[in-house]
Amino acid sequence: MGDWLERLSQLPQQWFDSPIAAIALTLGAYFLGIRLFKLIRRPNWCPPMLIAAVVIAGVIALLPIGIEDYNRGANWLMLLLGPATVALAVPLYQQLPQIRALWKPILMTLPLSATLAACYAVIIAAVMGAPEDVLASLAPKSVTSPIALSLAEELGGSRALLMGALLTTGVTAIFGVEWLSRILHIRDPRLIGLALGINGHALGTVRAFEINSVAGAFASLGMSLTGAFTAVVLPLVWHLFY
Amino acid sequence: MSVLRGFLWLLVFLLLGQTLVRLFHIPMPSGVIGMLLLTLWFGYRGGMNTDVVRISQPLIAMLALLIMPGVVEIFFVADQFSDQWAAILTALLAGTLLSVLSSLLLMRRYLPQSAAEGNSRSADHG
């Protein structure tokens, strides 16, 4: 009997030896998050992703395993970020004629918008006295996660803080775009999509696809151009100051 | 099988992107280069490969899911930034709202009005 109990107590540790448990936990929490989200009537300040992350954190805290055990398995799931980024070529190609017709205004406004997205946050945090490593984790906050992760690493930021910042930014951007576009009477799906993609990276883009496919394609465009622009410019500007 | 063939396409373009990034020291992730290459390839062929279209939809919908595992860690390292939370949250919330406002205003000023002013909001599914 004691033998059996001992084996039972070792189970959680053994589950997380292979990535299966971490992947199952992530997917389970994702669907639970979506269900709870619908249950509490889709508040736009609390997306399913946040609920799911809290659920996962709770499970990890309850089980005798550490965040490293979870991360080791979840990294396998993160591998899909690469192919998923490549897959954005499909909406991008579908909207190519629209984009080609608009390349001038896009080229004029997008670099400025992307710069402002990083600058506002870094300036506010710097004024409030945040140290360099916090600033480095906040600067890529509007960039899609594969790019943001490599940027934060290069600037010397914290991966965990950056991911938290990405989620907060995504949620705030979705809320902000829907709220402000209503106030400003903006209904053009191209504009809403671009704003969602530039400011809200992948989370904003997924939201834009829920609005319609034009908004989604322009959001993918905004997201990828912001990512490419920030990836090139941010390290250069950063090293001027630090 | 078609989905798997599409997945292979994505992996091949991801590897191509990785190759270019390494060879020419491009300061961008291989995924983004792969995406641009695939867009160029579609343009060159004059159309999209149906296998790739079929796999891209579920993968793009997964992008939000793929951020989640990284987010979890913040709950475990929160103490590390305990005296910074006010600055971090203000910067993120106020900074993002400001940047949304400025990009909406900028785009409205410079983007020509579209003929098809779409307001078709299909029901959300996610």
Side-chain angles (χ1 to χ4, degrees):
Chain A
M1 188 65 187
D3 199 30
W4 188 82
L5 272 177
E6 192 174 315
R7 259 181 290 162
L8 186 72
S9 70
Q10 280 168 354
L11 257 185
Q13 191 68 51
Q14 281 166 359
W15 282 339
F16 281 84
D17 275 348
S18 94
I20 303 292
I23 294 173
L25 173 60
T26 311
L27 289 177
Y30 175 66
F31 290 114
L32 186 68
I34 290 176
R35 180 166 289 188
L36 284 177
F37 175 69
K38 284 181 182 155
L39 220 94
I40 53 177
R41 299 199 189 152
R42 308 164 178 275
N44 45 16
W45 49 268
C46 180
M49 294 311 128
L50 182 58
I51 305 174
V54 173
V55 169
I56 297 176
V59 172
I60 297 172
L62 284 178
L63 290 177
I65 55 164
I67 179 74
E68 316 77 44
D69 297 305
Y70 170 75
N71 274 347
R72 209 171 344 105
N75 277 341
W76 285 87
L77 204 57
M78 305 272 271
L79 269 180
L80 284 175
L81 267 177
T85 313
V86 179
L88 287 171
V90 170
L92 203 57
Y93 178 76
Q94 282 168 339
Q95 295 301 323
L96 221 49
Q98 284 243 47
I99 292 161
R100 212 175 285 154
L102 290 174
W103 69 271
K104 249 187 206 160
I106 288 175
L107 212 66
M108 268 162 59
T109 51
L110 193 134
L112 186 56
S113 292
T115 311
L116 287 177
C119 282
Y120 285 136
V122 171
I123 290 171
I124 293 173
V127 167
M128 291 181 73
E132 190 188 325
D133 64 324
V134 170
L135 296 184
S137 328
L138 296 186
K141 72 176 182 71
S142 289
V143 180
T144 180
S145 45
I147 307 182
L149 279 175
S150 51
L151 274 175
E153 203 169 293
E154 185 172 337
L155 308 183
S158 142
R159 178 189 131 119
L161 182 54
L162 168 71
M163 294 305 262
L166 281 177
L167 180 80
T168 317
T169 305
V171 177
T172 316
I174 294 172
F175 170 77
V177 168
E178 292 181 355
W179 177 52
L180 291 169
S181 64
R182 214 175 312 130
I183 292 181
L184 298 170
H185 303 291
I186 294 173
R187 271 194 299 273
D188 188 342
R190 304 169 310 165
L191 226 154
I192 292 177
L194 275 173
L196 279 171
I198 294 172
N199 298 293
H201 56 91
L203 289 180
T205 304
V206 171
R207 176 73 197 123
F209 273 111
E210 288 170 7
I211 295 172
N212 62 36
S213 58
V214 176
F218 272 84
S220 333
L221 176 75
M223 174 174 88
S224 32
L225 289 181
T226 304
F229 175 79
T230 317
V232 177
V233 175
L234 184 60
L236 296 176
V237 177
W238 183 263
H239 291 305
L240 288 181
F241 290 96
Y242 293 101
Chain B
M1 280 324 260
S2 148
V3 169
L4 280 183
R5 252 199 315 263
F7 195 64
L8 177 60
W9 272 88
L10 295 181
L11 292 185
V12 167
F13 274 88
L14 184 59
L15 284 173
L16 270 177
Q18 214 168 61
T19 314
L20 288 187
V21 165
R22 288 283 147 80
L23 280 182
F24 300 105
H25 291 291
I26 304 172
M28 274 190 259
S30 12
V32 174
I33 303 295
M35 173 188 76
L36 295 176
L37 286 176
L38 186 57
T39 313
L40 285 179
W41 174 252
F42 286 154
Y44 170 71
R45 295 295 303 267
M48 283 188 291
N49 180 319
T50 42
D51 298 336
V52 180
V53 175
R54 219 165 281 166
I55 182 77
S56 75
Q57 264 161 358
L59 269 180
I60 291 171
M62 269 184 76
L63 271 173
L65 164 74
L66 295 179
I67 298 181
M68 221 169 59
V71 173
V72 176
E73 205 180 338
I74 191 70
F75 299 113
F76 294 87
V77 296
D79 319 343
Q80 221 177 303
F81 304 102
S82 51
D83 49 342
Q84 305 292 335
W85 281 120
I88 293 172
L89 281 179
T90 317
L92 288 176
L93 299 178
T96 305
L97 285 179
L98 274 173
S99 77
V100 166
L101 181 65
S102 38
S103 57
L104 280 176
L105 289 176
L106 261 175
M107 304 274 170
R108 185 171 69 171
R109 175 83 181 69
Y110 290 106
L111 222 64
Q113 289 285 313
S114 93
E117 183 96 342
N119 42 12
S120 56
R121 286 172 65 108
S122 61
D124 33 343
H125 47 77

